[in-house]
Amino acid sequence: MANSTEPQKPQNTKKNKKKGATLDTFYGAKIQNTEQIEDNIKENAPKPSKGNGNSPQTYEEFESEMTKKMEAFWEEKLEIMQKKFTHLQNQFDQTVKENQALKARIRQLEDNDRVKEQELIKQSQNTKKLEENIKYLTDKVIDLENRGRRDNLRIIGLPEKPEINTKLDMVIQDIIKENCPEILEQGGNTATDRAHRTPSTLNPQKTTPRNVIAKFQSYQTKEKILQEARKRQFRYKGMPIRVTQDLASSTLNDRKAWNMIFRKARELGLQPRISYPAKLTIYFQGKVWAFNKIEDFQLFAKKRPELC
């Protein structure tokens, strides 16, 4: 009996395809390559029966079933992507709303800053006006105080002795007799309403005597005494004293600020004088120059080397 050999099954010449590259869908969902899915369909398709032959009806049913599965698979993935997309859209809409709210807030803050800046400018202008008014009123008060002292003379350097302090009126008359007796000879009224030391209490830490303020009944007599005091050194019983116009303390301080410049101008022969209230005048190059502030005089002197 001849050895019957069973027909060898034809080798599958189909090359094994490499697995297709995976597709990354939204949020990490991975699906296989379409070609791989088609290969799986053909491999898993029902094999034709040996006795019955090929069965097209069975293959079509299988293909229809796999198509439905693929459609269901893609519908599921599509639904997931739609949900994710809707979530992203909601987040985007929320971000847009927050952005618009922030922009509106920024505009509001900028408007508030502009309003505050305008208010600050108005306050600065009001402050400047107030400062100008305060300066005007301060100068006005100082001027009124100086005019209220127009009949007064300030005597500097009169010794601090009990016999002098108790008889200041008589001491002032003695000073007039000793230094300008011609006023008495002309019948001038040298009487004083009052005379006192300033300040009222003695400071033991100060070695210099307090000033004496004398208020005269006659303004003309006071002016004559002051003019004589400007011409020469006054004395009381041989001791040098100084007689000046009585002024407000702020005006006196302004005049004291000119002391150094006044002395230098006198050394240069510029005939310096302090005019009311605290103005320096000098005679230079045939002209009279007046300066209200020290800065003005310094600027004037810089342009003229002979004064430096």
Side-chain angles (χ1 to χ4, degrees):
M1 183 175 180
N3 292 333
S4 60
T5 59
E6 297 181 355
Q8 295 182 355
K9 295 182 179 180
Q11 295 181 353
N12 189 6
T13 58
K14 180 181 178 180
K15 294 182 180 180
N16 295 328
K17 295 183 179 180
K18 294 183 180 179
K19 291 185 178 181
T22 59
L23 299 177
D24 293 339
T25 61
F26 286 92
Y27 300 93
K30 297 182 179 179
I31 60 173
Q32 293 178 334
N33 198 335
T34 307
E35 294 179 358
Q36 186 176 358
I37 294 175
E38 293 176 353
D39 293 342
N40 290 336
I41 293 174
K42 293 179 179 179
E43 290 176 0
N44 295 328
K47 302 294 188 297
S49 299
K50 293 182 179 180
N52 298 330
N54 194 6
S55 178
Q57 184 68 24
T58 304
Y59 181 82
E60 290 176 356
E61 290 177 354
F62 175 77
E63 186 178 9
S64 175
E65 182 181 356
M66 293 303 297
T67 302
K68 290 179 181 179
K69 288 183 178 180
M70 289 183 64
E71 290 176 353
F73 172 79
W74 284 112
E75 287 177 358
E76 181 183 357
K77 294 300 181 182
L78 180 61
E79 184 179 358
I80 293 174
M81 286 190 292
Q82 286 178 348
K83 291 180 180 180
K84 296 295 184 181
F85 178 77
T86 304
H87 179 69
L88 288 174
Q89 185 67 37
N90 293 336
Q91 286 185 340
F92 177 76
D93 294 341
Q94 184 66 24
T95 303
V96 170
K97 291 180 181 178
E98 292 177 355
N99 221 1
Q100 292 175 350
L102 289 173
K103 288 181 179 179
R105 182 61 177 166
I106 290 172
R107 285 194 296 268
Q108 183 180 1
L109 291 174
E110 289 177 349
D111 293 340
N112 292 339
D113 287 341
R114 281 193 291 269
V115 171
K116 289 181 179 179
E117 186 176 358
Q118 292 175 357
E119 291 179 354
L120 184 62
I121 293 173
K122 290 180 181 179
Q123 290 179 358
S124 178
Q125 293 174 350
N126 292 336
T127 301
K128 186 177 180 180
K129 290 181 180 179
L130 288 174
E131 290 176 351
E132 292 175 355
N133 291 337
I134 290 173
K135 185 179 183 305
Y136 170 78
L137 293 174
T138 301
D139 295 341
K140 192 70 175 176
V141 169
I142 293 173
D143 182 67
L144 291 173
E145 184 179 356
N146 287 331
R147 293 183 184 280
R149 296 169 181 257
R150 64 195 301 270
D151 296 333
N152 298 354
L153 284 179
R154 183 181 290 264
I155 304 172
I156 304 170
L158 199 62
E160 283 272 1
K161 294 181 180 179
E163 59 271 18
I164 295 178
N165 293 340
T166 56
K167 300 178 180 179
L168 286 175
D169 293 335
M170 297 178 61
V171 169
I172 292 171
Q173 297 301 323
D174 293 339
I175 292 173
I176 295 173
K177 291 178 183 179
E178 183 175 352
N179 295 278
C180 45
E182 61 276 6
I183 295 177
L184 295 174
E185 294 174 358
Q186 295 172 2
N189 181 12
T190 59
T192 57
D193 286 336
R194 59 183 177 275
H196 61 88
R197 293 274 186 179
T198 182
S200 57
T201 57
L202 179 63
N203 187 355
Q205 296 180 354
K206 288 188 176 181
T207 57
T208 57
R210 292 173 294 169
N211 296 345
V212 174
I213 305 298
K215 180 176 177 60
F216 286 82
Q217 294 180 356
S218 173
Y219 172 77
Q220 289 77 12
T221 302
K222 188 266 316 182
E223 282 295 314
K224 290 179 181 180
I225 297 172
L226 186 61
Q227 290 175 5
E228 293 297 327
R230 288 170 178 167
K231 295 177 182 178
R232 58 180 180 274
Q233 177 73 58
F234 270 33
R235 296 180 177 275
Y236 173 69
K237 295 183 178 180
M239 294 180 295
I241 60 174
R242 190 156 63 92
V243 178
T244 62
Q245 173 68 44
D246 180 38
L247 297 168
S249 58
S250 59
T251 305
L252 290 175
N253 292 333
D254 292 340
R255 288 192 169 201
K256 287 180 181 178
W258 288 107
N259 284 347
M260 184 177 68
I261 296 176
F262 187 90
R263 289 194 296 268
K264 294 294 183 180
R266 179 181 290 175
E267 292 175 1
L268 293 174
L270 301 178
Q271 303 176 15
R273 290 190 60 182
I274 301 295
S275 304
Y276 179 83
K279 181 169 62 176
L280 175 69
T281 59
I282 61 173
Y283 186 78
F284 179 70
Q285 294 181 349
K287 296 181 181 179
V288 177
W289 303 83
F291 307 95
N292 292 317
K293 297 180 180 179
I294 295 177
E295 293 80 5
D296 297 338
F297 178 82
Q298 291 174 344
L299 184 61
F300 176 81
K302 285 181 180 179
K303 298 179 180 179
R304 293 160 179 81
E306 59 270 29
L307 295 179
C308 296

